[in-house]
Amino acid sequence: TQFSSLSLSELYVTSYEKPELVVVNVRSSESNEKGNFSPAEIQNLANIEFNNSNYGIALEILEDIPDSEKTPSMKYCAALSHMEINEFEKAKELWLQFEEVDDIVWQERSKWYLALCYIQQGNRELAIDYLKDVSEICGPRQVNASQLMKKLSR
């Protein structure tokens, strides 16, 4: 028999690579007297849990922050955490919020991961649409997006 093309599920697995989220040194004086954590400290705590594969804990840390106060980095950590625990609808909701962010780096990332969510959910057409956008942005995923688009178009 001929080699069949990879299934969408296999394409997802071979294309998704869990990133290592950045943890920065934050002076503890940034937290106020009440013991509340600063946004930078909250981000660090969530990123540490994500990096340790504790996705539910990362989400719990971030869920108390109102959406209007979440930084792109916080939304990035939350969306990736949802993907890691197969909550693709919740991840997509967060990735779609990046369309309003005036930063090509965040837009490129979010469109890449949106495409992967759609691949995992079996929606080839929407995945290709987002991959096309990524392939037109001069960024780290440009070549991967073009290659993945070709595989999906077969």
Side-chain angles (χ1 to χ4, degrees), residues 11-111:
L11 276 177
Y12 174 81
V13 169
T14 58
S15 301
Y16 177 80
E17 191 173 308
K18 177 186 165 186
E20 181 81 11
L21 300 185
V22 176
V23 177
V24 296
N25 287 330
V26 180
R27 293 193 324 259
S28 58
S29 61
E30 284 189 33
S31 56
N32 64 30
E33 311 80 50
K34 296 178 188 174
N36 293 334
F37 291 107
S38 71
E41 289 171 311
I42 292 168
Q43 181 68 62
N44 269 347
L45 292 170
N47 286 0
I48 289 167
E49 294 302 337
F50 177 88
N51 290 341
N52 289 327
S53 302
N54 297 321
Y55 311 113
I57 296 172
L59 288 167
E60 284 177 28
I61 290 168
L62 294 170
E63 74 184 5
D64 292 335
I65 311 289
D67 273 351
S68 60
E69 294 177 27
K70 283 187 178 140
T71 64
S73 294
M74 289 176 181
K75 290 178 184 178
Y76 181 64
C77 177
L80 287 169
S81 294
H82 284 299
M83 287 179 73
E84 288 286 346
I85 57 177
N86 298 317
E87 292 179 345
F88 293 99
E89 287 303 316
K90 290 180 180 179
K92 287 187 323 193
E93 287 174 28
L94 289 167
W95 292 130
L96 287 168
Q97 292 176 20
F98 282 92
E99 291 179 357
E100 299 164 18
V101 175
D102 189 24
D103 183 327
I104 196 72
V105 173
W106 286 118
Q107 289 179 12
E108 185 256 3
R109 284 180 185 168
S110 65
K111 289 177 181 193

